[in-house]
Amino acid sequence: VEDAAHEERWPRYMPEAVRRGVRSQLGLQLGLDGETLGGLNLYSTSVDRFDDEVLHTAELFAVHAALAMGRARTEEQLRSGMSSRSEIGQALGLLMERYSIDGDAAFAFLSRASSVNNTKLRDVAAEIVAAANARFGSAVHEQPSVVEPGRPGDVARLPRRAAQ
């Protein structure tokens, strides 16, 4: 927006901006790989038009900002994915033990529950893990020093002090 005082595209916004001292405005898209991540708006209270050097600097800044935002988003997705993967693995293990089924059947069970309830698989897994933690959470501190043998899969545990 050059010469904000004469801009007519935003009849409610521009008069208020001008009243607050805006003389020109520059809007830049923050994009990465064809996807819009946001926008960068720059306002001038001293000139009616941004010069070419300011435009070039703003475009460079917008590119760097978009790269930083893209990197932050990627890192968050990876962090979230690792967390989801861990919870899904825990849920599969719980289902395998609870229903005496193999890993493929446990994953099919989890997928079916996700589909039937129209819920993301990671959210179904999180619910299963949360329920197990609630059920066994207090028992963690009151574990016997040795699990009674006799069932396949029973594991002897060391007394809590010895394990530390």
Side-chain angles (χ1 to χ4, degrees), residues 49-127:
R49 182 179 187 278
F50 290 99
D51 64 32
D52 290 341
E53 185 177 339
V54 171
L55 293 174
H56 179 70
T57 302
E59 288 171 347
L60 285 174
F61 183 80
V63 168
H64 284 92
L67 290 171
M69 290 174 68
R71 168 104 184 198
R73 183 180 64 183
T74 299
E75 287 181 12
E76 177 55 33
Q77 287 171 341
L78 289 172
R79 205 172 292 116
S80 176
M82 292 295 289
S83 175
S84 294
R85 181 178 178 188
S86 175
E87 277 191 320
I88 290 169
Q90 291 174 30
L92 292 174
L94 288 164
L95 292 170
M96 291 168 66
E97 175 63 26
R98 183 179 300 159
Y99 298 111
S100 299
I101 55 178
D102 66 15
D104 290 337
F107 188 79
F109 181 100
L110 200 59
S111 297
R112 194 169 43 255
S114 169
S115 178
V116 166
N117 294 308
N118 195 27
T119 305
K120 291 181 181 179
L121 190 125
R122 70 173 182 250
D123 294 338
V124 174
E127 286 182 35

